[in-house]
Amino acid sequence: MNDFHALKIAAVDTLTPNAVALTFEVPENLKNTFAFTAGQYITIKHTVNGEELRRAYSISSAPSSGKLTVGIKKVPKGTFSVYANENIKAGDVLEVMPPEGRFVFEKNSEAKNIAAFAAGSGITPIISIAQTVLESHPESTFVLVFGNQSPEEAMYLRAVQELQDRYTNRFFTQHVYSRSQEENALFGRIETSTVNFIIKNKFKETSFDAFYLCGPEEMITSVSDTLKTNGIAEDKIFFELFTSSDTEDTLAEELEGKTTLEVTVDDEVFSLSMDKKTLVLDAVLKENINAPYSCQGGVCSSCIARITEGKAEMVKNQILTDGEVAEGFILTCQAHPLTSTLKVDYDDV
């Protein structure tokens, strides 16, 4: 489950002054292991200055390309993103976990009209989804609303243009720039007025089958709320957070006592005692148990487990559905135990 594989970097391509694309060389014996669905991500593990880092990055290449590529934007004070942009070169080797994630487009035989709202590095899974949608059926259409500070800072801008050139009558782009006035582009950020302009004006004759949103939490909340206000069903809106607002862990302050935690990982069972004020994943990692995880911020889905006994409560949850929570699933990086005994199974997901 939590297996990493050493993959060599086949190419490093500059996307913007502050972003690069890393393409991995996947050996033949790992082709099936690293097969992916458009929209999924990989987790990269690397040691920088003696510190082990794990970071999740969406796959930007389409499954049909035969490539495994991720785009990495340099984040101020971001240890790995800075390292990736400034130090990684072709031939280097990184530890990579096989693709996972639920923000995906599944191909089928029916034509689809899809709209996507992406801000900044949120374009990385969207560009893979867009190409897959357009390849899936000769009548499929894709509308992309793409927000950036300026064209110079827009990741995969060339790839977006190539899709426009290839699918002239089926791929449509609306650029939005917050710091640059450009012809045929909106000025500002992706917000309520942007969504209304797209679905009630520019593409008012189009009935969309699904909406894919990717970027900061504030943008996703605004777009999602506006879509729902316009009568779009919640089950047609899919999203993936690239950044999440900080949530104060007030729950921990209210909890007292210890919990006996039983953890199942890769068919092994571990037992430990933990403070209820501690998050489940933190307690597990402290015992050097090889549980799956990546972002540790409730943004990805790597650390999902099922509760088989006891109760736990999450500080925040923007990934699991109400139905999944009812079935006992938790994000262990966000969960505090509430009962004296808690059993969680990382294998049963």
Side-chain angles (χ1 to χ4, degrees):
M1 172 194 287
N2 197 19
D3 293 332
F4 283 87
H5 301 270
L7 297 185
K8 184 182 294 185
I9 301 292
V12 179
D13 297 302
T14 299
L15 297 174
T16 75
N18 294 297
V20 294
L22 305 183
T23 299
F24 293 90
E25 183 179 305
V26 181
E28 196 62 38
N29 65 312
L30 290 177
K31 292 289 187 183
N32 290 336
T33 301
F34 281 90
F36 63 93
T37 303
Q40 287 191 303
Y41 64 87
I42 55 173
T43 296
I44 298 173
K45 180 175 71 173
H46 194 64
T47 301
V48 179
N49 298 325
E51 178 187 4
E52 182 185 292
L53 304 173
R54 294 191 185 195
R55 298 292 185 269
Y57 292 105
S58 292
I59 302 169
S60 54
S61 50
S64 62
S65 70
K67 295 181 178 180
L68 181 68
T69 302
V70 297
I72 301 178
K73 183 178 181 179
K74 187 188 296 184
V75 178
K77 298 183 181 180
T79 308
F80 185 79
S81 67
V82 172
Y83 175 80
N85 274 266
E86 297 181 357
N87 299 99
I88 290 179
K89 60 187 182 301
D92 288 351
V93 175
L94 297 175
E95 295 289 319
V96 183
M97 192 185 293
E100 56 185 333
R102 300 151 7 128
F103 180 69
V104 297
F105 172 77
E106 300 282 0
K107 291 194 298 184
N108 58 41
S109 59
E110 298 179 7
K112 297 284 186 180
N113 294 322
I114 305 294
F117 293 81
S121 56
I123 189 62
T124 48
I126 297 297
I127 197 69
S128 176
I129 291 172
Q131 183 170 334
T132 304
V133 168
L134 295 166
E135 291 172 347
S136 67
H137 195 284
E139 294 180 11
S140 294
T141 64
F142 198 98
V143 174
L144 169 65
V145 182
F146 189 17
N148 289 281
Q149 292 182 356
S150 66
E152 292 73 28
E153 290 294 334
M155 297 174 66
Y156 291 105
L157 190 60
R158 181 182 300 176
V160 169
Q161 185 59 55
E162 288 174 354
L163 286 180
Q164 284 183 298
D165 294 340
R166 191 184 316 161
Y167 301 102
T168 308
N169 299 317
R170 298 200 287 127
F171 182 73
F172 309 96
T173 305
Q174 176 62 66
H175 291 285
V176 183
Y177 296 116
S178 61
R179 297 185 184 178
S180 178
Q181 295 273 10
E182 303 291 335
E183 186 177 1
N184 298 322
L186 299 177
F187 182 75
R189 300 181 184 276
I190 297 175
E191 53 191 6
T192 298
S193 60
T194 317
V195 180
N196 285 332
F197 173 67
I198 293 299
I199 65 174
K200 299 173 76 172
N201 186 319
K202 194 170 182 179
F203 296 95
K204 63 181 180 181
E205 303 300 328
T206 303
S207 177
F208 291 104
D209 299 291
F211 295 83
Y212 286 81
L213 324 178
C214 193
E217 182 179 1
E218 183 180 0
M219 183 214 79
I220 287 177
T221 300
S222 176
V223 173
S224 180
D225 288 348
T226 306
L227 290 173
K228 293 173 188 176
T229 299
N230 280 280
I232 303 300
E234 189 170 359
D235 62 4
K236 287 188 174 184
I237 303 171
F238 305 92
F239 66 87
E240 182 159 82
L241 295 167
F242 267 25
T243 59
S244 178
S245 59
D246 292 330
T247 302
E248 187 177 352
D249 190 353
T250 56
L251 176 60
E253 300 173 6
E254 303 170 358
L255 298 174
E256 299 290 343
K258 297 280 188 178
T259 290
T260 298
L261 176 65
E262 185 178 285
V263 182
T264 301
V265 183
D266 293 333
D267 295 324
E268 288 190 70
V269 179
F270 305 86
S271 185
L272 60 120
S273 177
M274 65 172 290
D275 195 310
K276 289 180 180 177
K277 293 182 183 293
T278 303
L279 294 166
V280 170
L281 180 63
D282 290 346
V284 169
L285 296 180
K286 186 178 180 181
E287 295 295 319
N288 294 316
I289 298 170
N290 193 30
Y293 74 94
S294 183
C295 74
Q296 292 183 272
V299 174
C300 74
S301 56
S302 298
C303 70
I304 291 175
R306 185 195 291 270
I307 295 174
T308 58
E309 184 179 319
K311 293 182 179 180
E313 184 174 333
M314 289 177 282
V315 178
K316 63 178 178 180
N317 168 41
Q318 294 140 319
I319 296 175
L320 300 174
T321 65
D322 291 343
E324 289 170 327
V325 173
E327 290 179 26
F329 290 107
I330 56 169
L331 301 171
T332 54
C333 75
Q334 297 296 311
H336 288 284
L338 300 181
T339 50
S340 59
T341 300
L342 180 68
K343 296 182 180 181
V344 298
D345 190 341
Y346 283 96
D347 297 343
D348 188 17
V349 294

